[in-house]
Amino acid sequence: MTGKQARHNAFLRLVSGNGAAFGSESRSRYSLPPSKEMVIGRDPSCQVVLDAMMYRMVSRRHAVVRPLSLSPDSKFSWVLCDLNSANGTYLNGQRLYECQELHPGDRISLGADGPQYIFEYEYTLLTPATTVNQVTPLPSATNYHGHTQLKQPDSVSFTQLFPIISTGKDLTRKAYLVPGILTVIFVVLMFATVGRPQDNQVIVATYIAFAAYYFVYQLCGKQKPWWVLMAAALSTSLILISPVLDLFIFVFRTVLPGSLPSPQESITFTELLVRMFFGAGLMEELLKALPIIGVYFIGSGLPSPWRERIGVLEPLDGILLGTASAVGFTLLETLGQYVPDITQNVTQQVGIGAAGQLAGLQLLIPRILGSVAGHMAYSGYLGYFIGLAVLKPSRSWQILSIGYLSASALHALWNATGSINALLLVVVGVLSYAFLMAAILKARALSPTRSQNFATRFLGPK
């Protein structure tokens, strides 16, 4: 350039994390001087200091950006090195195992889910009168590959010896502390109820149901008050012991062709499928959907933010409430009907009460555990359509019809194939599970609160 020189100023720009969302531009942009290295971490001695409470995934001295000596074209270059961090440093999505030269546009992540920076250049034109301070020579760029990490003294900190002191809120957010506490409680209760088969069965069934639901809850990735979910499960259980069940049975199994066949009755598979569609699918799926509908109307009358926390505003809300309702249905149906029946039958046949109790436990475990591909799958799938109808009210009746009929058809297919072939039962179970998982993935993509949901908060919009 005639009469002018160009100076290259490098900097890191914070693009994700609370500093990027709420801080000013000056707070989220860090200049990289050509004369010294920049250490990033939670330690106050670092050049880029991150809040210790906000960024627990970042180590005290996590990574360093080092300048290198001038290259032949009079440009500085910088390299990124990890400093033995606990969660690693990522460059453009790849974990860093040795120092690597940075180029404009490179994305630096501190941990897989931590704050992210973009390495950028800006060019400043200098007049001939402008002087630039002489900088101390730095190591040559040809030598940086050998410096994979900075050497640190072999000291051990107090928090390294007693890690529970420094983990704090991470125990509940990342270490599944609450499920662990509940597991310990249920184990103690199982020991306490040894010798009392009925109590023990209730404890075992409740724990398995909790574990199965927690699996679905984590996949959905949206927070919902636990008491709302428990209320949905309890409401369904209460409906099953109320006169409402008698009304449903009269409509779907007497008025409509949904009468269930007796063990001695011989009918074709088609007739069995039709009966199961009306007498099990349509009846039970509508019954389990009642708590979702109730929560929707209750939430609609609440002010914000209670409406968003409690109500049904999107498919994820419908799935969470639908699967919770299915848990209540499955527990009451299994513990109140199927387990007592098989326990009594086996005891009468064998004449030994322990044999009947063992048979009841053997039936209880697969029924509750299999609810992820059974009642929870059907109800969660229908819940997806209820939430979708709320999200798209102009097509609500069309959406609800498709969801209700398809969930009922899956339910009927499972009941009908159970009496034919075990392999077909596996196929239908896998199909039901796949339908639920597909609904969850689509609901996560459609969620208006996608950026705040714990399963998708680090993902961009689809």
Side-chain angles (χ1 to χ4, degrees):
M1 250 178 230
T2 305
K4 293 183 180 180
Q5 289 180 318
R7 184 175 66 187
H8 304 272
N9 297 326
F11 59 90
L12 295 178
R13 182 164 55 86
L14 182 64
V15 293
S16 75
N18 289 352
F22 304 110
S24 64
E25 184 176 348
S26 62
R27 290 177 57 191
S28 60
R29 175 170 160 163
Y30 305 91
S31 297
L32 299 175
S35 57
K36 68 175 184 178
E37 64 186 25
M38 297 282 286
V39 179
I40 311 172
R42 295 186 288 112
D43 195 292
S45 65
C46 295
Q47 283 68 45
V48 179
V49 182
L50 294 169
D51 186 273
M53 297 300 295
M54 190 181 302
Y55 298 110
R56 290 186 175 273
M57 76 291 293
V58 177
S59 298
R60 294 180 63 84
R61 291 172 60 86
H62 196 107
V64 61
V65 179
R66 297 195 188 115
L68 298 178
S69 59
L70 287 172
S71 58
D73 58 356
S74 300
K75 291 182 181 179
F76 270 95
S77 59
W78 281 262
V79 293
L80 173 68
C81 305
D82 184 70
L83 299 180
N84 288 319
S85 62
N87 295 313
T89 302
Y90 293 79
L91 183 61
N92 298 324
Q94 300 295 321
R95 184 157 185 170
L96 200 64
Y97 293 102
E98 63 176 13
C99 297
Q100 190 164 331
E101 185 174 356
L102 293 171
H103 301 281
D106 282 349
R107 182 178 289 265
I108 302 167
S109 301
L110 306 183
D113 59 353
Q116 297 182 6
Y117 298 86
I118 297 292
F119 176 76
E120 294 180 343
Y121 270 134
E122 68 177 3
Y123 302 93
T124 305
L125 296 180
L126 302 177
T127 62
T130 305
T131 60
V132 180
N133 293 332
Q134 184 69 29
V135 297
T136 306
L138 294 162
S140 171
T142 58
N143 297 326
Y144 79 85
H145 286 288
H147 303 285
T148 56
Q149 294 172 1
L150 291 179
K151 292 185 178 180
Q152 300 185 28
D154 295 331
S155 60
V156 180
S157 67
F158 185 75
T159 57
Q160 289 173 341
L161 292 174
F162 299 96
I164 194 170
I165 296 174
S166 62
T167 51
K169 295 180 180 178
D170 283 351
L171 281 175
T172 54
R173 283 196 308 119
K174 298 181 178 180
Y176 300 102
L177 180 64
V178 174
I181 292 173
L182 291 175
T183 297
V184 173
I185 293 173
F186 274 104
V187 168
V188 173
L189 290 174
M190 289 176 197
F191 280 123
T193 54
V194 171
R196 290 181 286 165
Q198 292 182 343
D199 295 339
N200 189 264
Q201 288 172 354
V202 172
I203 299 299
V204 172
T206 304
Y207 177 73
I208 297 175
F210 158 76
Y213 183 79
Y214 187 73
F215 171 71
V216 174
Y217 181 83
Q218 288 294 112
L219 284 176
C220 288
K222 181 180 180 180
Q223 291 184 340
K224 200 78 175 170
W226 64 268
W227 53 271
V228 174
L229 302 174
M230 288 193 65
L234 183 60
S235 298
T236 304
S237 300
L238 293 175
I239 290 173
L240 289 176
I241 59 176
S242 72
V244 175
L245 178 62
D246 297 330
L247 176 62
F248 271 64
I249 291 175
F250 173 74
V251 172
F252 289 95
R253 296 181 181 177
T254 303
V255 177
L256 296 175
S259 60
L260 301 184
S262 63
Q264 297 77 21
E265 189 176 357
S266 178
I267 58 175
T268 64
F269 175 77
T270 303
E271 186 179 355
L272 177 62
L273 186 62
V274 170
R275 290 193 188 186
M276 289 298 177
F277 178 74
F278 286 95
L282 290 178
M283 187 189 87
E284 294 181 4
E285 295 315 311
L286 179 59
L287 189 149
K288 289 182 290 181
L290 291 180
I292 312 176
I293 299 171
V295 171
Y296 166 74
F297 284 109
I298 292 173
S300 300
L302 294 175
S304 183
W306 287 102
R307 181 174 59 252
E308 290 77 14
R309 292 188 62 199
I310 296 175
V312 179
L313 300 179
E314 56 162 305
L316 282 178
D317 294 324
I319 294 174
L320 288 170
L321 290 167
T323 49
S325 174
V327 168
F329 186 96
T330 305
L331 282 174
L332 191 65
E333 184 184 48
T334 302
L335 294 171
Q337 178 183 351
Y338 288 103
V339 170
D341 286 350
I342 194 171
T343 300
Q344 182 179 4
N345 291 338
V346 172
T347 300
Q348 290 176 350
Q349 293 174 4
V350 180
I352 302 175
Q357 295 164 5
L358 178 60
L361 184 62
Q362 290 174 334
L363 176 65
L364 179 148
I365 293 174
R367 272 198 60 84
I368 303 295
L369 192 60
S371 62
V372 174
H375 280 294
M376 290 175 69
Y378 320 138
S379 300
Y381 192 65
L382 177 56
Y384 164 84
F385 284 91
I386 294 174
L388 186 63
V390 176
L391 204 60
K392 302 179 182 295
S394 62
R395 298 291 185 91
S396 59
W397 287 109
Q398 182 181 8
I399 293 170
L400 289 172
S401 299
I402 294 174
Y404 182 38
L405 293 176
S406 55
S408 301
L410 284 173
H411 191 157
L413 195 60
W414 169 269
N415 285 14
T417 54
S419 59
I420 297 177
N421 187 283
L423 182 60
L424 287 176
L425 202 61
V426 171
V427 173
V428 175
V430 171
L431 184 66
S432 301
Y433 176 82
F435 268 65
L436 175 61
M437 294 303 110
I440 290 175
L441 293 177
K442 179 57 69 174
R444 283 165 46 168
L446 293 172
S447 177
T449 59
R450 177 181 174 84
S451 59
Q452 286 81 44
N453 297 344
F454 61 82
T456 52
R457 63 177 177 265
F458 298 116
L459 303 179
K462 292 285 186 182

